[in-house]
Amino acid sequence: MINPLAGQGVNIGLLDARPWARCWIEGHKQGLDLGDLTVLRRYEKMRRNENLKMMTVMDVFYRVFSKSVITGQIFA
């Protein structure tokens, strides 16, 4: 059995890449540095909700599959 958590970091990274590029380009047009807090906060605001959803789902998967491995059951 392959744990469903495997590879999710890559998926999240790919989903993060486009918004990060958009924020960086907008910041660059405004003359802001890549690490400027304005740019970073804009990016964080864009991705926060989606990342929280993914973290919650992955936490549920972890708990379900960890318990199923220990007890031999999917739902206990």
Side-chain angles (χ1 to χ4, degrees):
M1 171 170 61
I2 297 175
N3 190 308
L5 299 175
Q8 289 306 310
V10 171
N11 292 341
I12 292 170
L14 292 173
L15 291 171
D16 284 344
R18 185 174 182 178
W20 171 241
R22 187 181 317 154
C23 287
W24 184 79
I25 290 169
E26 289 175 15
H28 183 71
K29 287 178 181 177
Q30 297 170 4
L32 299 173
D33 185 71
L34 178 66
D36 188 279
L37 285 179
T38 304
V39 175
L40 298 174
R41 286 184 180 135
R42 186 180 305 146
Y43 166 72
E44 178 185 25
K45 185 177 179 181
M46 289 177 74
R47 293 300 300 153
R48 180 181 291 145
N49 288 336
E50 289 301 317
N51 283 337
L52 286 174
K53 286 183 212 174
M54 180 64 81
M55 288 167 43
T56 301
V57 169
M58 291 300 103
D59 188 51
V60 169
F61 276 140
Y62 173 78
R63 291 172 189 276
V64 168
F65 279 85
S66 294
K67 193 170 194 171
S68 68
V69 170
I70 293 169
T71 66
Q73 300 173 347
I74 295 296
F75 299 103

